[in-house]
DNA sequence: ACCTGAACACCGTTCAAGT
DNA sequence: ACCTGAACACCGTTCAAGT
């Protein structure tokens, strides 16, 4: 329950921004988004609720820092790839996995330069488009599409996780959605009626990657043909 | 301030789910996401806070219903297009505008079949891909990419609007982001250093549409060549 | 059936007071 | 400089009581 062992891991009162952010992440992961409160976090850090405000100005800032931390860890796991397209895929998948493990992170990311991992991510995607050879005029849009897609899906996952917290209930929900689509009139809703069959068992991650592939295919069209 | 005129618009106590949702939307639009509280909404509807629970089970459900309502209005504004690609573009832009006008809506949308406008939107995109002639195997992924991109950007906009509520401060923030990117080492951050120049004045809406275009270009690659 | 509004169990945030 | 924890100004939600 409570931490009493002095042990070797520093004295109990080494309060720091990093310790706060890491405590917040653990709380978010174990108790969910509603589980992160200043009171609960203070209790976990063996301090008063107000102490946190010495290091962090806001709950929004705390969430943003936690999300950026998670993003940084995800980026660190990605192996270097020589092929820029493979590198973009690898980054995208790493973020997908990270946001699946920490769904609360999906909504707290922005262009904010304070989020240093975010800056690194944005640069990585952009520099890979340079390597691919996307011409300057097309580059900004291609980058925006990649980044928006990757972060956007993360946000969608977050919204979904918020409404269906448990994994088991997520599958059940998907099945319920499919059932309701099957009940739609095939004349007015031909697509959903048909897609209902594929929805329940489908591989989210593979489908996400297929989206990346479509964008990359579109980007290839903007390349000046080399010959 | 308060509504007293009996006028012709029904007696003051015609409380209904629709009136609640519309009141919520007005509150969200005028006061922001934090402005929607059961107390404030009840006051606006001249009733008690608990009365709302007769029609709506939850704040989440209220947000979802408000977002779906806004989505429905947006879809209704779109002119019929005969070209399926133009139709997808038109839908995408309508949603972009709607989510810019109501940024709080971006995070409350899901596959939930209760959200009837959402169902209509999902079907529209899918049926247009059928018209384009995307083969069944590729169709599900193409649909997912389009829908994820459109809703994902909406969610990103919502996150951004949450942190930078006012329009003026949004431009200032973009400028500040660009400045910080310009200060990055061009050796380690070649892309962001260069992109900083284009960031402040850029057209969000056009760039969003360019992303749709990239996905559509990728989708075209999956078409079986007709000859 | 539908509405009221006080009451409950929380929040984020502040700030005087301590060390 | 850094920490404490009570106090303030809120929340969403419930529920006995009313009509």
């Amino acid at each position: 329950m409570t931490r009493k062992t002095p042990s070797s891991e520093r004295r109990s009162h080494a309060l720091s921004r990093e310790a706060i952010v890491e405590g917040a992440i653990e709380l978010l992961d174990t108790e969910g988004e509603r589980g992160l409160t200043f009171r609960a976090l203070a209790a976990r850090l063996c301090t008063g609720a107000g102490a946190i405000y010495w290091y962090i100005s806001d709950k929004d800032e705390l969430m943003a820092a936690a999300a950026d931390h998670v993003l940084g860890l995800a980026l660190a796991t990605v192996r270097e790839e020589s092929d820029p397209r493979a590198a973009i895929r690898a980054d995208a998948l790493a973020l997908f996995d990270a946001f699946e493990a920490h769904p609360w992170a999906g909504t707290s990311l922005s262009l904010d330069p304070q989020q240093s991992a975010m800056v690194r991510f944005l640069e990585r995607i952009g520099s890979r488009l340079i390597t691919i050879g996307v011409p300057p005029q097309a580059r900004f849009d291609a980058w925006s599409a990649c980044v928006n897609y990757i972060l956007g899906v993360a946000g969608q996952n977050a919204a979904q996780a918020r409404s269906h917290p448990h994994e088991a209930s997520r599958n059940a929900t998907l099945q319920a959605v499919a059932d309701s689509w099957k009940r739609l009139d095939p004349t007015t809703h031909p697509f959903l009626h048909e897609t209902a069959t594929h929805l329940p068992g489908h591989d989210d991650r593979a489908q996400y990657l297929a989206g990346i592939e479509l964008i990359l295919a579109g980007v290839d069209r903007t390349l000046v043909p080399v010959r």
Side-chain angles (χ1 to χ4, degrees), chain A:
Chain A
M1 293 278 133
T2 49
R3 229 172 233 219
K4 276 192 189 173
T5 49
S7 82
S8 63
E9 26 157 343
R10 296 194 170 283
R11 67 214 148 82
S12 43
H13 279 304
L15 198 55
S16 68
R17 192 184 152 94
E18 213 199 328
I20 290 170
V21 170
E22 278 166 8
I25 291 172
E26 282 175 59
L27 224 34
L28 286 162
D29 285 344
T30 56
E31 313 287 334
E33 207 158 342
R34 281 183 32 240
L36 175 62
T37 69
F38 280 81
R39 272 166 253 258
L41 182 55
R44 169 180 278 268
L45 298 169
C46 301
T47 182
I52 296 166
Y53 285 90
W54 190 261
Y55 299 91
I56 249 126
S57 67
D58 220 87
K59 193 177 183 182
D60 282 342
E61 193 194 315
L62 179 56
M63 285 293 296
D68 194 62
H69 190 90
V70 157
L71 177 60
L73 293 176
L75 289 177
T77 66
V78 185
R79 290 193 305 123
E80 262 319 300
E81 294 274 356
S82 52
D83 175 44
R85 270 167 269 254
I88 289 178
R89 279 182 212 112
D91 283 347
L93 286 179
L95 293 220
F96 184 86
D97 294 338
F99 291 131
E100 192 144 276
H102 316 278
W104 46 266
T107 25
S108 299
L109 291 164
S110 68
L111 289 183
D112 188 350
Q114 297 300 315
Q115 303 191 320
S116 73
M118 177 60 101
V119 170
R120 240 175 309 143
F121 164 66
L122 297 175
E123 174 63 32
R124 266 161 87 137
I125 299 297
S127 68
R128 268 135 200 197
L129 293 171
I130 296 178
T131 309
I132 288 176
V134 183
Q137 323 89 287
R139 206 184 283 155
F140 190 23
D141 288 347
W143 171 79
S144 158
C146 288
V147 158
N148 271 328
Y149 179 80
I150 293 171
L151 297 177
V153 172
Q156 289 300 109
N157 279 354
Q160 205 154 19
R162 212 192 328 278
S163 39
H164 311 294
H166 301 296
E167 298 227 14
S169 87
R170 192 182 128 55
N171 284 332
T173 309
L174 226 53
Q175 187 58 251
V177 170
D179 289 345
S180 87
W181 287 0
K182 240 173 251 159
R183 280 192 298 272
L184 291 169
D185 182 348
T187 317
T188 57
H189 295 79
F191 176 79
L192 291 183
H193 186 85
E194 180 218 285
T195 303
T197 319
H198 308 292
L199 189 66
H202 90 285
D203 184 344
D204 251 358
R205 197 172 183 266
Q207 191 167 53
Y208 163 81
L209 191 59
I212 296 279
E213 228 59 69
L214 286 176
I215 293 174
L216 289 180
V219 169
D220 281 343
R221 281 247 198 128
T222 68
L223 300 179
V224 268
V226 191
R227 70 162 49 226

